Amino acid sequence: KGKTVLITGASKGIGAATARTLAGMGAHVVLAARSAEALAKLAQETGGRAFPCDVSDFAQVRALIEATGPIDTLINNAGLIDPIARLADSDPGAWGRVVDVNVKGVYHALRAVLPGMIERGSGTIINISSGAATSALEGWSHYCATKAAVLSLTRVADKEMRSAGVRVIGLSPGTVATDMQRKIAASGINPVSQLGWEAHIPPEWVGQAIAVLLGPKGDAYCGTDFSLKTEEGRAA
Ligand code: NJP
């Protein structure tokens, strides 16, 4: 309550649901993504502030932090999975773009908020990783590799920052009913859930899990690879 929370990838899916949950609990949400119109709508709904931004560009992320002022909590959520393709058919440019968003984007937001958090001696960062970080999923090489990098980055950041009063938590949300899963299903390659759309986790539940991790008893659950599982017990 009363904390300023920056959420990347807030224009839809898990990021938007998390913004609604946290704003409903009294947080001041700062919403970042590329889709300006969706962000403006959500800002109106949540009483938050919208900052259109491409997280793969450090200059844009740094400008955002300069404009917002102190950030107490960062939800490093922006991510991409498409285009889904087996390695032999993959396009090097598109593959690299996933690295730019999923790895560099997470690093950029961390890098931009950490000096302020260290100076104030407090802060919490949740990096959204995935069960894909520790799985070999055909057609998802860029996604598996980049989410493994997020897990690794989270572990190092947590180790470096704990003594400065900054917690860095990794969260793997399971199979969540968002556009990302729609794209996976449409690709026809390796759709995660055989049980259908209704078995996917609603994005609102991920928002609630994030609220628990940020809450007073959050430390009991925190770690650098905290996972939510689908009904199938198979992480996404
Ligand atoms: O995905 P989706 P989710 N700069 O596609 C934004 C992870 N995850 O909510 O820029 C800034 O609905 C994009 O905004 P826009 C997943 O890997 C998911 O499911 O306007 N923002 C949108 O707001 C990801 O890290 C599942 O297009 C950029 C958001 O990212 C996170 O959860 C399972 C951007 C994507 O919304 C949210 O995914 C799992 C950029 N360059 C992990 N590029 C799952 N859904 O099952 C994209 O384990 N965005």
Side-chain angles (χ1 to χ4, degrees):
K1 193 173 171 155
K3 301 261 187 200
T4 300
V5 183
L6 168 60
I7 304 168
T8 69
S11 60
K12 58 183 178 175
I14 292 170
T18 302
R20 289 189 180 97
T21 302
L22 298 182
M25 298 173 80
H28 304 298
V29 292
V30 174
L31 311 168
R34 291 163 306 169
S35 309
E37 210 175 302
L39 285 189
K41 257 190 175 165
L42 189 60
Q44 206 166 33
E45 183 191 329
T46 57
R49 290 178 285 166
F51 286 90
C53 167
D54 184 333
V55 295
S56 68
D57 178 355
F58 184 60
Q60 291 188 36
V61 179
R62 191 172 44 194
L64 183 158
I65 300 302
E66 282 166 8
T68 53
I71 298 292
D72 299 305
T73 304
L74 164 66
I75 313 295
N76 227 336
N77 165 76
L80 269 188
I81 197 167
D82 49 315
I84 295 163
R86 292 192 168 83
L87 277 164
D89 306 319
S90 60
D91 173 70
W95 208 98
R97 179 76 191 138
V98 175
V99 175
D100 288 345
V101 176
N102 291 7
V103 185
K104 288 194 198 167
V106 168
Y107 163 73
H108 289 157
L110 266 174
R111 179 65 185 83
V113 300
L114 277 176
M117 288 183 174
I118 291 168
E119 201 181 307
R120 293 186 296 281
S122 71
T124 305
I125 296 171
I126 297 187
N127 290 333
I128 306 295
S129 180
S130 168
T134 50
S135 310
L137 300 164
E138 291 167 55
W140 299 26
S141 61
H142 48 11
Y143 192 76
C144 293
T146 55
K147 290 299 179 178
V150 171
L151 186 56
S152 181
L153 185 57
T154 302
R155 288 178 175 152
V156 176
D158 186 58
K159 209 164 197 178
E160 286 188 6
M161 295 305 143
R162 278 259 159 175
S163 59
V166 180
R167 296 186 305 166
V168 188
I169 301 161
L171 173 61
S172 297
T175 307
V176 188
T178 66
D179 275 358
M180 185 171 280
Q181 286 294 338
R182 283 185 197 96
K183 284 173 187 165
I184 292 165
S187 78
I189 304 178
N190 205 12
V192 169
S193 179
Q194 308 305 323
L195 295 178
W197 195 250
E198 63 285 352
H200 289 26
I201 296 170
E204 294 72 27
W205 292 10
V206 184
Q208 286 162 16
I210 287 173
V212 171
L213 292 175
L214 296 177
K217 295 192 176 157
D219 265 339
Y221 303 102
C222 288
T224 50
D225 44 10
F226 178 76
S227 296
L228 303 177
K229 298 276 184 203
T230 59
E231 249 176 79
E232 288 164 285
R234 185 176 168 190

